Amino acid sequence: MSEGRKQAARKSFEDAIKKEEAQRRGSGIITVLSDLDWYLSLELDEERPLDEKKITTNQRLFQIIKGVEFGTLVHASVLFGLSASVGLVLFSMHVTNPLVINIAWFYVLGMSLALKIGVAYWLIDRYYIFPRGITYTYLANFLGGYSVGLFIPEFFMFLFTIFMIFVFYIMKSAHYTNIVTRFIERYFPHFTDPKFIPIDLISLILCFAPYFMLRRRRKKSSYETKFLPLDYIPKEDE
């Protein structure tokens, strides 16, 4: 193929990409899933991974930032919003059984774990096909950012828990109590009891599970292939 035809083919391909990007709709996680579906369809059509070097630095940053945004938003909603809601519901129903209250707290913990493991497993199971390529790179960038996003609210929750445990230790030493401290101690025991700290530490570490799950899947994969440039155009006789 002559140099002129190569340039024309490359420009045509780039125009097709821009047109496809312009047609995509949605925001947030919808944009991410739309991108992943599109990249996946390209690689499935070619039956091989496409050259990830064609992904620009700005695109990589976009993928990472989207992961951070999504992880922070959904995890903060669970850790702060759902946790507070569960405590208020238990209070409004006059639940005083410590077992029921602890089960409710473990429900919040389970929802947090579902975000760390369940969401990552679904994304990897749906979009992982090759150990390299544009789909894998996008997925790795997003899950890396998603892990950081999960970590941010978890870290602040951990610091708040340590602070509350210290405050309640001081108040108990001074034999001080009032209606607010009794409410917190009864309905939010994980903020006042040091025995929950190991669980908090494990939850903190598990924030990075999504990215390492993808790396482990890649390590287990034995697929070997040649990598096709994104701007590859087959000859007419192929």
Side-chain angles (χ1 to χ4, degrees), residues 51-220:
D51 187 5
E52 67 273 14
K53 294 178 182 178
K54 296 296 181 179
I55 300 177
T56 66
T57 300
N58 286 339
Q59 289 173 324
R60 293 174 188 270
L61 288 175
F62 171 81
Q63 296 156 11
I64 294 171
I65 290 172
K66 281 297 179 182
V68 173
E69 289 177 349
F70 180 65
T72 301
L73 178 63
V74 297
H75 205 201
S77 299
V78 168
L79 290 180
F80 299 104
L82 184 60
S83 181
S85 299
V86 167
L88 291 175
V89 168
L90 292 173
F91 173 73
S92 65
M93 296 177 64
H94 305 288
V95 176
T96 58
N97 189 323
L99 178 61
V100 175
I101 293 172
N102 283 325
I103 289 174
W105 179 74
F106 276 103
Y107 165 74
V108 176
L109 191 66
M111 292 298 294
S112 174
L113 188 63
L115 291 177
K116 297 166 185 171
I117 306 298
V119 172
Y121 179 84
W122 180 81
L123 286 171
I124 294 170
D125 184 65
R126 179 178 176 84
Y127 294 108
Y128 182 90
I129 51 172
F130 303 119
R132 284 187 64 185
I134 56 175
T135 307
Y136 175 85
T137 301
Y138 194 116
L139 191 58
N141 290 337
F142 177 78
L143 289 180
Y146 181 62
S147 295
V148 174
L150 293 173
F151 179 81
I152 292 172
E154 189 84 52
F155 180 69
F156 281 106
M157 176 67 82
F158 180 74
L159 292 181
F160 179 73
T161 301
I162 296 298
F163 172 76
M164 290 295 293
I165 289 174
F166 176 75
V167 169
F168 270 79
Y169 175 78
I170 298 297
M171 289 193 301
K172 286 182 178 180
S173 299
H175 303 287
Y176 175 79
T177 184
N178 59 28
I179 188 171
V180 175
T181 58
R182 289 195 296 270
F183 169 78
I184 295 174
E185 195 169 20
R186 172 174 291 177
Y187 292 103
F188 299 91
H190 52 293
F191 288 146
T192 63
D193 195 335
K195 71 182 180 182
F196 289 107
I197 290 180
I199 297 177
D200 295 331
L201 285 172
I202 293 173
S203 296
L204 203 61
I205 295 171
L206 285 176
C207 288
F208 296 97
Y211 183 73
F212 287 107
M213 287 171 64
L214 179 62
R215 299 288 295 183
R216 183 172 181 272
R217 175 68 176 270
R218 181 185 184 185
K219 187 176 180 180
K220 290 177 62 178

